[in-house]
């Protein structure tokens, strides 16, 4: 897919990894629908950065845990925006829970944000995509679905289902829409994480460092540009999965 002039919707695009993905899309020539929830100030800063790179940006706030219909995020675009041809599902929550202490509310909230929203958004994306256009979806997932966390039960289940959704959607939406995923490893420390926690995480990475945001952005552009890749989930782990 040629990215210049395309419109891309990215969820959780205000800061951290979502911001890096948004800026990479802007740098590649896309106009952005930049979704955020609570980070309005950071979304505005990211939007200004993306516009400085030449893209146009429409900010769209939404609490994805309350989403029942994704279509309003894709419709009512200002003049100059082409229909949305790229969807990046990056927003997620990472609560600490286990099977034994899990609550119904916590379980529902994680599944709503990390799984239900990407499904509803992909459905709305497909329904609103004009029939003569191709599309591409990239889901941001986590390699730890293959080696489950002891400490993040609902997150791991939600991302594992997101992996299954990625492959299932790739089959069901072919040939017009490609659906891929990026299974991230240790890219950035979770906000508020201690230095000791992050040192322990990095000790399991053969490349001996965090991934940062650049490799995630490069992988996103690769998956969007390569028209023969669908149903693929690329691990970005610095080799951590080799320890399995
Ligand atoms: N950081 C890593 O090393 C790492 C590793 C593996 C996988 N990942 C995955 O990579 C993606 C980005 O990670 P990150 O560390 O940059 O995430 P993060 O800092 O935890 O940010 C989470 C994002 O999700 C959005 N979000 C959370 N709850 C929401 C809700 N109810 N409605 C709408 N949006 C909501 C937030 O938006 P607001 O701030 O606007 O509320 C924020 O942009 C996630 O899918 C994560 O699972 C990250």
């Amino acid at each position: 897919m040629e990215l210049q002039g395309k419109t891309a919707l990215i969820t959780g695009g205000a800061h951290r990894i979502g911001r890096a993905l948004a800026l990479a899309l802007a740098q590649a020539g896309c106009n952005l629908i930049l979704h955020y929830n609570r980070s309005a100030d950071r979304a505005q800063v990211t939007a200004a950065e993306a516009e400085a790179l030449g893209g146009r940006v429409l900010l769209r706030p939404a609490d994805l845990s309350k989403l029942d219909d994704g279509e309003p995020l894709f419709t009512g675009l200002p003049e100059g925006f082409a229909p949305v041809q790229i969807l990046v599902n990056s927003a997620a929550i990472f609560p600490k829970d286990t099977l034994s202490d899990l609550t119904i509310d916590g379980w529902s909230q994680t599944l709503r944000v990390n799984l239900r929203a990407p499904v509803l958004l992909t459905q709305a994306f497909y329904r609103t995509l004009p029939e003569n256009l191709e599309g591409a979806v990239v889901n941001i997932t986590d390699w730890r679905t293959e080696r489950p966390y002891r400490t993040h039960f609902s997150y791991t289940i939600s991302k594992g289902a997101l992996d299954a959704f990625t492959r299932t959607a790739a089959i069901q939406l072919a040939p017009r829409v490609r659906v891929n995923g990026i299974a991230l490893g240790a890219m950035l420390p979770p906000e508020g994480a201690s230095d000791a926690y992050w040192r322990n995480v990095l000790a399991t990475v053969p490349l001996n460092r965090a991934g940062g945001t650049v490799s995630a952005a490069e992988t996103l552009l690769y998956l969007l540009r390569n028209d023969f890749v669908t149903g693929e989930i690329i691990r970005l782990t610095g080799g951590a999965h080799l320890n399995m």
Side-chain angles (χ1 to χ4, degrees):
M1 179 187 273
E2 165 58 51
L3 301 185
Q4 182 68 41
K6 298 287 191 300
T7 301
L9 190 156
I10 177 159
T11 67
H15 56 105
R16 288 170 52 88
I17 292 170
R19 166 183 171 273
L21 301 179
L23 294 181
L25 290 166
Q27 176 96 59
C30 293
N31 291 327
L32 297 179
I33 301 178
L34 189 81
H35 159 270
Y36 66 93
N37 184 33
R38 286 190 282 202
S39 301
D41 292 349
R42 287 191 279 185
Q44 276 182 8
V45 171
T46 302
E49 289 173 321
E51 285 182 337
L53 292 169
R56 294 184 59 195
V57 181
L58 178 65
L59 286 169
R60 285 246 152 123
D63 180 348
L64 294 181
S65 72
K66 301 199 164 81
L67 189 79
D68 285 325
D69 175 7
E71 284 201 21
L73 274 89
F74 294 89
T75 52
L77 304 185
E79 213 172 305
F81 273 75
V84 181
Q85 279 181 267
I86 295 165
L87 168 63
V88 181
N89 287 305
S90 180
I93 54 175
F94 186 56
K96 210 167 174 185
D97 55 21
T98 66
L99 182 54
S100 65
D101 67 18
L102 187 70
T103 63
I104 286 285
D105 285 351
W107 170 243
S108 308
Q109 182 72 6
T110 310
L111 289 186
R112 279 176 164 267
V113 177
N114 294 8
L115 178 64
R116 187 173 179 272
V119 169
L120 292 177
L121 290 170
T122 304
Q123 183 188 53
F125 170 72
Y126 189 68
R127 286 181 175 163
T128 56
L129 184 69
E131 275 181 18
N132 60 334
L133 295 181
E134 59 172 345
V137 178
V138 177
N139 294 321
I140 307 303
T141 178
D142 191 317
W143 82 276
R144 294 297 301 260
T145 61
E146 297 178 74
R147 186 180 180 182
Y149 285 106
R150 283 183 184 276
T151 48
H152 294 84
F153 176 81
S154 59
Y155 172 85
T156 308
I157 304 291
S158 68
K159 292 291 192 181
L162 187 66
D163 295 349
F165 168 64
T166 300
R167 298 188 183 99
T168 308
I171 284 285
Q172 294 201 357
L173 303 186
R176 209 150 57 85
V177 171
R178 296 181 298 110
V179 186
N180 292 294
I182 308 175
L184 298 180
M187 312 307 281
L188 296 178
E191 278 186 312
S194 68
D195 289 348
Y197 167 87
W198 195 237
R199 263 197 312 278
N200 283 339
V201 172
L202 296 187
T204 66
V205 179
L207 293 187
N208 211 15
R209 56 188 159 82
T213 56
V214 173
S215 66
E218 284 174 350
T219 307
L220 172 66
L221 297 181
Y222 164 76
L223 287 172
L224 293 174
R225 286 185 170 131
N226 191 321
D227 282 326
F228 204 52
V229 184
T230 196
E232 187 61 59
I233 298 175
I234 296 183
R235 295 188 194 100
L236 283 188
T237 70
H241 65 282
L242 300 171
N243 293 330
M244 279 199 292

